């Protein structure tokens, strides 16, 4: 009979050493707490010493259910005092030893499936491991959704719902599964449709958002479409006096399209500018880019929009930004009275997972999507079906 001694800093580490060396069927013979000594007499750190063997099979008198369900304790139960709890069979092990061994056995078996290294832990967290119980087609789609920057928990939720609704015979049909996920996304995406312009009524629409998201170019696209293609009377107001180039850029567009344009630097200027353009059917207001973290500037923007009495306020965001940035911007611009979202630069985005998180968090409809710099092209009213199919890789922007 081969008996081996194991020492470790804790009982858990000792059990792992026994399992790795002797296997899960090893028998625990003895366990005690010892101190490592220096020169044989100076006490050192506390350790757990375990004697175990792979050859010995000690019978246990505990019920089978107890042996199966027993949990490993922090320390072994104390041995009974001499003469207490004697059994008529002198060769049988004391019940406290059987209980200790049963609990050791249960702990070893329960520990088998747990990762014990960084590599194992990372493999358990991989995209495929999260839904390894689902068909191969679902695993591939899950990896694609995560690559498209959709959060892992959201991707898993979508695929599990799609698999539950699918016929078992179609479980490995990747195209059908992708289409089901697209339909689930389509149901979540709200759209507001294009701007509605009515004859005899002036509609004021303002575009707000952070710097560099393409507000001025988007204003020009909208103005050109409604003036040249729909023959509407359109006027422009810019309050972006922080950047001289922005005023000149919009003025150039206004001259090309032949539109009246006003510049407003204060709330009073805004009120006068809108009054001068009251004969137009659509007034588009281009605002200066504001940092979402600059609460003072956001409040100034709110005052300006209050003077123009905007019917709609579109928050312009770049789809290139990450989900956290998009959600933070929507939260910070909410006080100005945002009514819908307008996404730009879809042609530059690596994935639209952040957009999906934004729509879930902000609970605002999408109005327009832009995918390039060409005026008046590269803009379209948001379409839930198309956007969902782009998210799952069934269409391109």
């Amino acid at each position: 009979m081969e008996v081996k001694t194991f020492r470790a800093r804790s009982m858990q580490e000792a059990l792992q050493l026994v399992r790795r060396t002797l296997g899960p069927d090893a028998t625990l013979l003895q366990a005690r707490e010892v101190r490592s000594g220096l020169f044989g007499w100076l006490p050192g750190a506390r350790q757990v010493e375990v004697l175990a063997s792979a050859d010995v099979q000690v019978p246990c008198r505990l019920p089978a259910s107890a042996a199966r369900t027993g949990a490993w304790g922090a320390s072994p139960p104390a041995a009974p005092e001499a003469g207490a709890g004697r059994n008529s069979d002198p060769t049988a092990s004391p019940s406290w030893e059987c209980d200790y061994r049963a609990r050791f056995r249960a702990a070893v078996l329960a520990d088998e499936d747990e990762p014990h290294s960084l590599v194992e832990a990372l493999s358990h967290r991989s995209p495929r491991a999260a839904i390894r119980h689902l068909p191969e087609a679902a695993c591939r789609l899950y990896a694609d959704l995560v690559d498209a920057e959709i959060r892992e928990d959201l991707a898993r939720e979508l695929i599990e719902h799609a698999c539950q609704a699918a016929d078992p015979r179609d479980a490995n049909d990747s195209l059908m599964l992708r289409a089901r996920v697209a339909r689930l996304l389509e149901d979540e995406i709200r759209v507001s449709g294009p701007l509605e312009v009515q004859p005899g009524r002036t509609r004021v629409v303002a575009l707000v958002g952070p710097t560099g998201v393409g507000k001025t170019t988007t204003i020009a696209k909208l103005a050109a479409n409604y003036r040249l293609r729909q023959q509407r009377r359109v006027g422009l107001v810019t309050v972006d006096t922080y950047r001289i180039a922005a005023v000149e850029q919009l003025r150039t567009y206004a001259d090309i399209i032949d539109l009246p344009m006003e510049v407003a630097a204060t709330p009073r200027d805004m009120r006068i500018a809108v009054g001068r353009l009251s004969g137009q059917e659509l007034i588009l207001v281009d605002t200066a880019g504001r940092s979402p973290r600059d609460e003072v500037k956001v409040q100034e923007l709110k005052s300006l929009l209050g003077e123009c009495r905007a019917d709609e306020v579109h928050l312009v965001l770049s789809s290139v930004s990450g989900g956290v940035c998009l959600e933070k911007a929507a939260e910070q611009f909410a006080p100005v009275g945002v009514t819908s979202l307008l996404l730009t630069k879809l042609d530059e985005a690596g994935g639209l997972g952040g957009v999906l998180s934004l729509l879930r968090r902000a609970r605002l409809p999408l109005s327009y999507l832009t995918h390039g710099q060409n005026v008046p092209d590269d803009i379209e009213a948001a379409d839930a079906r198309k956007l969902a199919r782009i998210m799952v890789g069934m269409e391109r922007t």
Side-chain angles (χ1 to χ4, degrees):
M1 177 182 71
E2 183 181 9
V3 178
K4 291 192 175 184
T5 302
F6 301 87
R7 283 192 177 187
R9 291 174 298 179
S10 65
M11 181 60 71
Q12 182 179 3
E13 291 184 11
L15 294 179
Q16 293 175 7
L17 288 173
V18 172
R19 179 177 67 84
R20 292 171 185 170
T21 305
L22 302 179
D25 296 323
T27 299
L28 180 67
L29 302 177
Q30 182 182 0
R32 62 173 181 163
E33 187 179 84
V34 298
R35 281 184 178 272
S36 57
L38 184 62
F39 303 119
W41 58 271
L42 186 63
R46 292 179 180 271
Q47 290 185 316
V48 174
E49 181 183 84
V50 172
L51 300 182
S53 173
D55 303 326
V56 179
Q57 298 294 329
V58 180
C60 180
R61 296 178 300 168
L62 290 177
S65 59
R68 286 194 302 269
T69 60
W72 181 257
S75 60
E81 297 180 0
R86 293 184 181 276
N87 189 279
S88 59
D89 183 0
T91 63
S93 299
S95 61
W96 68 272
E97 289 186 6
C98 287
D99 179 59
Y100 195 57
R101 295 186 188 107
R103 290 158 68 184
F104 163 74
R105 169 73 173 166
V108 170
L109 292 176
D111 194 53
E112 279 189 304
D113 295 331
E114 294 297 321
H116 297 287
S117 70
L118 179 60
V119 174
E120 288 181 86
L122 290 176
S123 65
H124 277 248
R125 293 173 57 189
S126 68
R128 293 179 66 86
I131 57 168
R132 57 183 179 270
H133 61 287
L134 294 178
E136 180 65 22
C139 294
R140 289 196 300 269
L141 178 55
Y142 176 83
D144 290 344
L145 294 179
V146 173
D147 288 342
E149 302 177 6
I150 294 179
R151 291 200 324 264
E152 292 183 11
D153 58 333
L154 181 52
R156 183 168 60 252
E157 175 188 331
L158 290 168
I159 291 178
E160 288 178 346
H161 276 77
C163 288
Q164 291 172 2
D167 190 305
R169 293 172 296 181
D170 300 329
N172 275 310
D173 189 329
S174 58
L175 184 59
M176 183 171 294
L177 187 62
R178 198 175 292 269
R180 288 184 179 276
V181 172
R183 284 196 291 271
L184 289 173
L185 290 174
E186 182 181 348
D187 292 339
E188 290 201 32
I189 299 173
R190 295 171 52 208
V191 296
S192 60
L195 301 178
E196 295 185 3
V197 179
Q198 301 175 359
R201 183 179 182 274
T202 301
R203 191 166 191 82
V204 181
V205 177
L207 270 60
V208 302
T211 58
V213 295
K215 291 187 298 297
T216 302
T217 303
T218 303
I219 283 273
K221 291 176 181 178
L222 291 171
N225 273 285
Y226 277 88
R227 177 69 182 91
L228 302 177
R229 293 178 176 172
Q230 298 192 28
Q231 302 299 310
R232 298 293 187 178
R233 298 191 304 277
V234 181
L236 302 179
V237 177
T238 179
V239 295
D240 193 356
T241 56
Y242 294 93
R243 296 184 304 127
I244 301 300
V247 176
E248 294 305 317
Q249 180 185 7
L250 193 60
R251 191 180 299 280
T252 300
Y253 284 128
D255 292 342
I256 293 173
I257 308 172
D258 191 21
L259 301 177
M261 174 179 160
E262 298 288 338
V263 179
T266 65
R268 180 176 179 276
D269 292 342
M270 173 65 76
R271 185 168 60 252
I272 295 173
V274 172
R276 288 175 178 170
L277 297 173
S278 59
Q280 307 301 316
E281 295 175 309
L282 176 63
I283 299 176
L284 296 172
V285 181
D286 183 23
T287 63
R290 297 287 196 268
S291 168
R293 295 185 294 273
D294 193 336
E295 296 183 4
V296 174
K297 295 297 184 182
V298 172
Q299 289 300 320
E300 289 180 2
L301 179 59
K302 183 179 179 181
S303 299
L304 283 168
L305 296 181
E307 290 298 328
C308 73
R309 298 182 180 180
D311 297 290
E312 299 180 29
V313 178
H314 297 241
L315 175 59
V316 183
L317 296 172
S318 170
S319 54
V320 178
S321 302
V324 175
C325 293
L326 292 173
E327 293 175 22
K328 191 66 176 178
E331 179 182 347
Q332 295 294 331
F333 277 97
V336 305
V338 175
T339 58
S340 59
L341 301 172
L342 194 158
L343 295 176
T344 62
K345 305 182 182 181
L346 263 70
D347 55 314
E348 301 177 20
L352 297 179
V355 173
L356 181 59
S357 299
L358 167 67
L359 295 176
R360 278 196 159 195
R361 180 72 177 269
R363 298 186 179 278
L364 290 170
L366 275 173
S367 57
Y368 287 92
L369 305 173
T370 76
H371 42 81
Q373 298 295 317
N374 295 322
V375 178
D377 301 317
D378 297 341
I379 187 171
E380 59 186 74
D383 182 285
R385 182 175 184 273
K386 181 176 181 178
L387 186 58
R389 290 172 67 86
I390 291 173
M391 287 180 177
V392 300
M394 297 182 70
E395 283 192 24
R396 294 182 179 272
T397 55

